[in-house]
Amino acid sequence: GQQLNQSPQSMFIQEGEDVSMNCTSSSIFNTWLWYKQDPGEGPVLLIALYKAGELTSNGRLTAQFGITRKDSFLNISASIPSDVGIYFCAGRAGGTSYGKLTFGQGTILTVHP
Amino acid sequence: DSGVTQTPKHLITATGQRVTLRCSPRSGDLSVYWYQQSLDQGLQFLIQYYNGEERAKGNILERFSAQQFPDLHSELNLSSLELGDSALYFCASSVASQGVEQYFGPGTRLTVT
């Protein structure tokens, strides 16, 4: 089945630093999404990407839909303590997959003040 | 607050038992999705319903079943529970059948002892 490889698995950074994480797939996705999950809560949608090459920002977050449609990237600029959490990429293949999302394993982000 | 509600928040039960998890989607959303999150498997798609009909199925065990009612709330039934079924179960909802932007509830933490 489809699998998403997300890296890095974890990051320890200082407040104010920029963060980059990425997700790669063995197959094509029509849509890429990025979610953040805080402990004990459900994932929260950060950014959705719909077209290959698309670059979308949400505040300090910027995500890109890779040209090959097999990868996506998330950047966080000027990190702050509340950025701590687990970040997940997710992809949707489309067609008969309907709304099925395939998730990466997550990147655990720790921000030191 | 995503607008998706799930009950109960926590559930502790014994092996061999049966439980029902309940989800109410955001107002206006017709699609409901169920996901399982465990430490070893990550976030896994189980099943999707759209306006009362099953739309997509993931690696859902035969011991698990779901339905969506006319008022659009959904229930996930887990039977003959095993220790390995202990996990967080999330419900998400979206407007459309091919809903990409899925909004997650707070989850139900199931512990099987």
Coordinates of all heavy atoms in Angstrom, one line a residue, chain B residues 8-70:
Chain B
P8 N -17.0 8.3 24.2 CA -16.4 9.0 25.4 C -15.0 9.5 25.1 O -14.4 9.2 24.1 CB -16.5 7.9 26.4 CG -16.2 6.6 25.6 CD -16.9 6.9 24.3
K9 N -14.4 10.2 26.0 CA -13.1 10.7 25.9 C -12.1 9.5 26.2 O -11.1 9.4 25.6 CB -12.8 11.8 26.9 CG -11.4 12.4 26.9 CD -11.3 13.3 25.7 CE -9.9 14.1 25.8 NZ -9.6 14.8 24.6
H10 N -12.4 8.7 27.2 CA -11.6 7.6 27.6 C -12.5 6.4 27.8 O -13.7 6.5 28.2 CB -10.9 7.8 28.9 CG -10.0 9.0 28.9 ND1 -8.7 9.0 28.4 CD2 -10.2 10.3 29.4 CE1 -8.2 10.2 28.6 NE2 -9.0 11.0 29.1
L11 N -12.0 5.2 27.5 CA -12.7 4.0 27.6 C -11.8 2.9 28.0 O -10.7 2.7 27.4 CB -13.4 3.6 26.3 CG -14.6 2.7 26.2 CD1 -15.6 3.0 27.2 CD2 -15.1 2.7 24.8
I12 N -12.1 2.2 29.1 CA -11.2 1.1 29.6 C -12.1 -0.1 29.6 O -13.2 -0.1 30.3 CB -10.6 1.3 31.0 CG1 -9.8 2.6 31.0 CG2 -9.8 0.1 31.4 CD1 -9.2 3.0 32.3
T13 N -11.7 -1.2 29.0 CA -12.5 -2.4 28.9 C -11.6 -3.6 28.9 O -10.4 -3.5 28.7 CB -13.5 -2.3 27.7 OG1 -14.4 -3.4 27.8 CG2 -12.7 -2.5 26.4
A14 N -12.2 -4.8 28.9 CA -11.5 -6.0 29.0 C -11.5 -6.7 27.6 O -12.3 -6.4 26.8 CB -12.1 -7.0 30.0
T15 N -10.5 -7.6 27.4 CA -10.4 -8.4 26.2 C -11.7 -9.1 26.0 O -12.3 -9.6 27.0 CB -9.2 -9.3 26.2 OG1 -9.3 -10.2 27.4 CG2 -7.9 -8.6 26.2
G16 N -12.1 -9.2 24.8 CA -13.3 -10.0 24.4 C -14.6 -9.1 24.4 O -15.6 -9.6 23.9
Q17 N -14.5 -8.0 25.0 CA -15.7 -7.1 25.1 C -16.0 -6.4 23.8 O -15.2 -6.4 22.8 CB -15.5 -6.1 26.2 CG -15.5 -6.8 27.6 CD -16.7 -7.5 27.9 OE1 -17.8 -7.0 27.9 NE2 -16.6 -8.8 28.3
R18 N -17.1 -5.7 23.8 CA -17.5 -4.8 22.6 C -17.8 -3.4 23.1 O -18.3 -3.2 24.2 CB -18.8 -5.4 22.0 CG -19.4 -4.6 21.0 CD -20.8 -5.2 20.6 NE -21.6 -4.3 19.8 CZ -21.7 -4.3 18.5 NH1 -21.0 -5.2 17.8 NH2 -22.4 -3.5 17.8
V19 N -17.3 -2.4 22.3 CA -17.5 -1.0 22.7 C -18.1 -0.3 21.5 O -17.9 -0.7 20.3 CB -16.3 -0.4 23.2 CG1 -15.8 -1.0 24.5 CG2 -15.2 -0.3 22.2
T20 N -18.7 0.8 21.7 CA -19.2 1.7 20.7 C -18.6 3.1 20.9 O -18.8 3.7 22.0 CB -20.7 1.8 20.6 OG1 -21.2 0.4 20.3 CG2 -21.2 2.7 19.6
L21 N -18.0 3.7 19.9 CA -17.5 5.0 19.9 C -18.4 5.9 19.1 O -18.8 5.5 18.0 CB -16.1 5.1 19.4 CG -15.1 4.1 19.9 CD1 -13.7 4.3 19.3 CD2 -15.0 4.0 21.4
R22 N -18.7 7.1 19.6 CA -19.6 8.0 18.9 C -19.0 9.3 18.4 O -18.1 9.8 19.1 CB -20.8 8.3 19.8 CG -21.9 9.1 19.2 CD -22.9 9.6 20.3 NE -23.8 10.6 19.8 CZ -25.0 10.4 19.3 NH1 -25.5 9.1 19.4 NH2 -25.7 11.4 18.9
C23 N -19.4 9.7 17.3 CA -18.9 11.0 16.7 C -20.0 11.8 16.1 O -20.9 11.3 15.4 CB -17.9 10.6 15.6 SG -17.4 11.9 14.5
S24 N -19.9 13.1 16.3 CA -20.8 14.1 15.7 C -20.0 15.0 14.8 O -19.1 15.6 15.3 CB -21.6 14.9 16.7 OG -22.6 14.0 17.4
P25 N -20.3 15.1 13.5 CA -19.5 15.9 12.6 C -19.7 17.4 12.8 O -20.7 17.7 13.5 CB -19.9 15.4 11.2 CG -21.3 15.0 11.4 CD -21.4 14.4 12.8
R26 N -18.9 18.2 12.2 CA -19.2 19.6 12.2 C -20.5 19.9 11.5 O -20.9 19.2 10.6 CB -18.1 20.4 11.4 CG -16.7 20.4 12.0 CD -15.8 21.3 11.2 NE -16.0 21.2 9.8 CZ -15.5 22.1 8.9 NH1 -14.9 23.2 9.4 NH2 -15.7 21.9 7.6
S27 N -21.2 21.0 11.9 CA -22.4 21.3 11.3 C -22.2 21.5 9.8 O -21.3 22.3 9.4 CB -22.9 22.6 12.0 OG -24.1 23.1 11.3
G28 N -23.0 20.9 9.0 CA -22.9 21.0 7.5 C -22.0 20.0 6.8 O -22.1 19.9 5.6
D29 N -21.2 19.3 7.6 CA -20.4 18.3 7.0 C -21.1 17.0 6.8 O -21.8 16.5 7.7 CB -19.1 18.0 7.9 CG -18.1 19.1 7.8 OD1 -18.3 20.1 7.0 OD2 -17.1 19.0 8.5
L30 N -21.0 16.4 5.6 CA -21.7 15.2 5.3 C -20.8 13.9 5.4 O -21.3 12.8 5.4 CB -22.2 15.3 3.8 CG -23.3 16.4 3.6 CD1 -23.7 16.4 2.1 CD2 -24.5 16.2 4.5
S31 N -19.5 14.1 5.3 CA -18.6 13.0 5.4 C -18.0 12.8 6.8 O -17.6 13.8 7.4 CB -17.4 13.2 4.4 OG -17.6 12.7 3.2
V32 N -17.9 11.6 7.2 CA -17.3 11.2 8.5 C -16.2 10.2 8.2 O -16.4 9.2 7.4 CB -18.3 10.7 9.5 CG1 -17.6 10.1 10.7 CG2 -19.3 11.8 9.9
Y33 N -15.1 10.3 8.8 CA -13.9 9.4 8.7 C -13.5 8.9 10.1 O -13.6 9.7 11.0 CB -12.7 10.1 8.1 CG -13.0 10.9 6.8 CD1 -13.6 12.2 7.0 CD2 -12.8 10.5 5.6 CE1 -13.9 13.0 5.8 CE2 -13.0 11.2 4.4 CZ -13.6 12.5 4.6 OH -13.9 13.2 3.5
W34 N -13.1 7.7 10.1 CA -12.5 7.1 11.3 C -11.1 6.7 11.1 O -10.7 6.1 10.1 CB -13.3 5.9 11.8 CG -14.7 6.2 12.3 CD1 -15.9 6.2 11.7 CD2 -15.0 6.6 13.7 NE1 -16.9 6.5 12.6 CE2 -16.4 6.8 13.8 CE3 -14.2 6.8 14.8 CZ2 -17.0 7.2 15.0 CZ3 -14.8 7.2 16.0 CH2 -16.2 7.4 16.1
Y35 N -10.3 7.1 12.1 CA -8.8 6.8 12.0 C -8.4 6.2 13.4 O -9.0 6.5 14.4 CB -8.0 8.1 11.8 CG -8.1 8.7 10.5 CD1 -9.1 9.6 10.2 CD2 -7.2 8.4 9.5 CE1 -9.3 10.2 8.9 CE2 -7.3 9.0 8.2 CZ -8.3 9.9 8.0 OH -8.4 10.4 6.7
Q36 N -7.4 5.3 13.3 CA -6.8 4.7 14.5 C -5.4 5.2 14.6 O -4.7 5.2 13.6 CB -6.9 3.2 14.4 CG -6.3 2.5 15.6 CD -6.0 1.0 15.3 OE1 -5.3 0.6 14.4 NE2 -6.7 0.1 16.1
Q37 N -5.0 5.6 15.8 CA -3.6 6.1 16.0 C -3.0 5.2 17.1 O -3.5 5.3 18.3 CB -3.6 7.6 16.4 CG -2.2 8.1 16.5 CD -2.1 9.6 16.8 OE1 -2.9 10.1 17.5 NE2 -1.1 10.3 16.1
S38 N -2.0 4.5 16.8 CA -1.2 3.7 17.8 C 0.2 4.1 17.6 O 0.7 4.6 16.6 CB -1.5 2.2 17.6 OG -1.0 1.8 16.3
L39 N 1.0 3.7 18.6 CA 2.4 4.0 18.6 C 3.2 3.4 17.5 O 4.0 3.9 16.9 CB 3.1 3.7 20.0 CG 2.8 4.6 21.1 CD1 3.3 4.1 22.4 CD2 3.3 6.0 20.8
D40 N 2.8 2.1 17.2 CA 3.6 1.4 16.2 C 3.1 1.6 14.8 O 3.8 1.5 13.8 CB 3.6 -0.1 16.6 CG 2.2 -0.7 16.7 OD1 1.3 0.1 16.9 OD2 2.1 -1.9 16.7
Q41 N 1.8 1.9 14.6 CA 1.2 2.0 13.3 C 0.9 3.4 12.9 O 0.7 3.7 11.7 CB -0.1 1.2 13.2 CG 0.0 -0.3 13.3 CD 0.7 -0.9 12.1 OE1 0.5 -0.5 11.0 NE2 1.6 -1.9 12.4
G42 N 1.0 4.4 13.8 CA 0.7 5.8 13.4 C -0.7 6.0 13.2 O -1.6 5.2 13.7
L43 N -1.1 7.0 12.4 CA -2.5 7.3 12.1 C -2.9 6.5 10.8 O -2.3 6.7 9.8 CB -2.6 8.8 11.7 CG -3.1 9.7 12.8 CD1 -2.8 11.2 12.5 CD2 -4.6 9.5 13.1
Q44 N -3.9 5.6 11.0 CA -4.3 4.8 10.0 C -5.8 5.0 9.7 O -6.6 5.0 10.6 CB -4.1 3.3 10.4 CG -2.7 2.9 10.6 CD -1.9 2.7 9.3 OE1 -2.4 2.2 8.4 NE2 -0.7 3.1 9.3
F45 N -6.1 5.2 8.4 CA -7.5 5.4 8.0 C -8.2 4.0 8.1 O -7.8 3.0 7.7 CB -7.5 5.8 6.5 CG -8.8 5.8 5.8 CD1 -9.7 6.8 6.1 CD2 -9.2 4.8 5.0 CE1 -11.0 6.8 5.5 CE2 -10.4 4.7 4.4 CZ -11.3 5.8 4.6
L46 N -9.4 4.1 8.7 CA -10.3 2.9 8.8 C -11.4 2.9 7.8 O -11.5 2.0 7.0 CB -10.8 2.9 10.3 CG -9.8 2.7 11.4 CD1 -10.5 2.7 12.8 CD2 -9.0 1.4 11.2
I47 N -12.2 3.9 7.8 CA -13.4 3.9 7.0 C -14.0 5.3 6.8 O -13.8 6.2 7.7 CB -14.5 2.9 7.6 CG1 -15.5 2.5 6.6 CG2 -15.1 3.5 8.9 CD1 -16.3 1.3 7.0
Q48 N -14.7 5.5 5.7 CA -15.4 6.8 5.5 C -16.8 6.6 5.1 O -17.2 5.6 4.4 CB -14.7 7.5 4.3 CG -15.4 8.8 3.9 CD -15.0 9.4 2.5 OE1 -14.2 8.8 1.9 NE2 -15.6 10.5 2.1
Y49 N -17.7 7.4 5.7 CA -19.1 7.4 5.3 C -19.4 8.8 4.7 O -18.9 9.8 5.2 CB -20.0 7.1 6.5 CG -20.1 5.7 6.7 CD1 -19.1 5.0 7.5 CD2 -21.2 4.9 6.3 CE1 -19.2 3.6 7.7 CE2 -21.3 3.6 6.5 CZ -20.3 2.9 7.2 OH -20.4 1.6 7.4
Y50 N -20.3 8.8 3.8 CA -20.8 10.1 3.2 C -22.3 10.0 3.1 O -22.9 9.1 2.4 CB -20.2 10.3 1.8 CG -20.8 11.5 1.1 CD1 -20.4 12.8 1.5 CD2 -21.7 11.4 0.1 CE1 -20.9 13.9 0.9 CE2 -22.2 12.5 -0.5 CZ -21.8 13.8 -0.1 OH -22.4 14.9 -0.7
N51 N -22.9 10.9 3.9 CA -24.4 11.0 3.9 C -25.1 9.6 4.1 O -26.0 9.3 3.4 CB -24.9 11.6 2.5 CG -26.2 12.3 2.7 OD1 -26.6 12.6 3.8 ND2 -26.9 12.5 1.6
G52 N -24.5 8.9 5.0 CA -25.1 7.6 5.3 C -24.6 6.4 4.6 O -24.9 5.2 5.0
E53 N -23.8 6.6 3.6 CA -23.3 5.5 2.8 C -21.8 5.3 2.9 O -21.0 6.3 2.9 CB -23.6 5.7 1.3 CG -25.1 5.6 1.0 CD -25.4 5.6 -0.5 OE1 -24.4 5.6 -1.3 OE2 -26.6 5.7 -0.8
E54 N -21.3 4.1 3.0 CA -19.9 3.8 3.0 C -19.3 4.2 1.7 O -19.7 3.9 0.6 CB -19.7 2.3 3.2 CG -18.2 1.9 3.4 CD -18.0 0.4 3.5 OE1 -18.6 -0.2 4.4 OE2 -17.2 -0.1 2.7
R55 N -18.1 5.0 1.8 CA -17.5 5.5 0.6 C -16.1 4.9 0.4 O -15.7 4.7 -0.7 CB -17.3 7.0 0.7 CG -18.4 7.8 0.2 CD -18.5 7.7 -1.3 NE -19.6 8.6 -1.9 CZ -20.8 8.1 -2.2 NH1 -21.1 6.9 -2.0 NH2 -21.7 9.0 -2.6
A56 N -15.3 4.7 1.4 CA -14.0 4.2 1.3 C -13.7 3.4 2.5 O -14.1 3.7 3.6 CB -13.0 5.3 1.1
K57 N -12.8 2.4 2.3 CA -12.5 1.5 3.4 C -11.0 1.3 3.4 O -10.3 1.2 2.4 CB -13.1 0.1 3.2 CG -13.6 -0.6 4.4 CD -14.5 -1.8 4.0 CE -15.1 -2.4 5.2 NZ -16.0 -3.5 4.9
G58 N -10.4 1.4 4.6 CA -9.0 1.1 4.8 C -8.8 -0.2 5.3 O -9.5 -1.2 5.1
N59 N -7.7 -0.4 6.1 CA -7.4 -1.7 6.7 C -8.2 -1.9 8.0 O -7.6 -2.2 9.0 CB -5.9 -1.8 7.0 CG -5.1 -1.8 5.7 OD1 -5.5 -2.2 4.7 ND2 -3.9 -1.2 5.8
I60 N -9.5 -1.9 7.8 CA -10.4 -2.0 9.0 C -10.6 -3.5 9.3 O -10.9 -4.3 8.3 CB -11.7 -1.3 8.8 CG1 -12.5 -1.3 10.1 CG2 -12.5 -1.8 7.6 CD1 -13.7 -0.4 10.1
L61 N -10.4 -3.9 10.5 CA -10.6 -5.3 10.9 C -12.0 -5.7 10.7 O -12.9 -4.9 10.9 CB -10.1 -5.6 12.3 CG -8.6 -5.3 12.6 CD1 -8.3 -5.4 14.1 CD2 -7.7 -6.2 11.8
E62 N -12.2 -7.0 10.5 CA -13.6 -7.5 10.4 C -14.4 -7.4 11.7 O -15.6 -7.3 11.7 CB -13.6 -9.0 9.9 CG -13.3 -9.1 8.4 CD -13.6 -10.5 7.9 OE1 -14.2 -11.3 8.6 OE2 -13.2 -10.8 6.8
R63 N -13.6 -7.3 12.8 CA -14.3 -7.2 14.1 C -14.8 -5.8 14.3 O -15.5 -5.5 15.3 CB -13.3 -7.5 15.2 CG -12.7 -8.9 15.2 CD -11.8 -9.2 16.3 NE -10.5 -8.6 16.2 CZ -10.1 -7.5 16.9 NH1 -10.9 -7.0 17.8 NH2 -8.9 -7.0 16.8
F64 N -14.4 -4.9 13.5 CA -14.8 -3.5 13.6 C -15.9 -3.2 12.5 O -15.8 -3.6 11.4 CB -13.6 -2.5 13.3 CG -12.5 -2.6 14.4 CD1 -12.5 -3.5 15.4 CD2 -11.4 -1.8 14.3 CE1 -11.5 -3.6 16.3 CE2 -10.4 -1.8 15.2 CZ -10.4 -2.8 16.2
S65 N -16.8 -2.3 12.9 CA -17.8 -1.9 11.9 C -18.2 -0.5 12.3 O -18.0 0.0 13.4 CB -19.0 -2.8 11.9 OG -19.7 -2.7 13.2
A66 N -18.8 0.2 11.3 CA -19.2 1.6 11.5 C -20.5 1.8 10.8 O -20.9 1.1 9.9 CB -18.1 2.6 11.1
Q67 N -21.2 2.9 11.2 CA -22.3 3.3 10.4 C -22.5 4.8 10.6 O -22.0 5.4 11.6 CB -23.6 2.5 10.8 CG -23.9 2.5 12.3 CD -25.1 1.7 12.6 OE1 -26.1 1.6 11.8 NE2 -25.1 1.0 13.7
Q68 N -23.3 5.4 9.7 CA -23.6 6.8 9.8 C -25.1 6.9 9.8 O -25.8 6.4 8.9 CB -23.0 7.7 8.7 CG -23.2 9.2 8.8 CD -22.6 10.0 7.7 OE1 -22.4 9.5 6.6 NE2 -22.2 11.2 8.0
F69 N -25.7 7.6 10.7 CA -27.1 7.7 10.9 C -27.7 8.9 10.1 O -27.0 9.8 9.7 CB -27.4 7.8 12.4 CG -27.0 6.6 13.1 CD1 -25.7 6.4 13.6 CD2 -27.9 5.5 13.3 CE1 -25.4 5.3 14.3 CE2 -27.6 4.4 14.0 CZ -26.3 4.3 14.5
P70 N -29.0 8.9 9.9 CA -29.7 10.0 9.2 C -29.3 11.4 9.7 O -29.3 12.4 8.9 CB -31.2 9.7 9.3 CG -31.2 8.2 9.4 CD -30.0 7.8 10.3

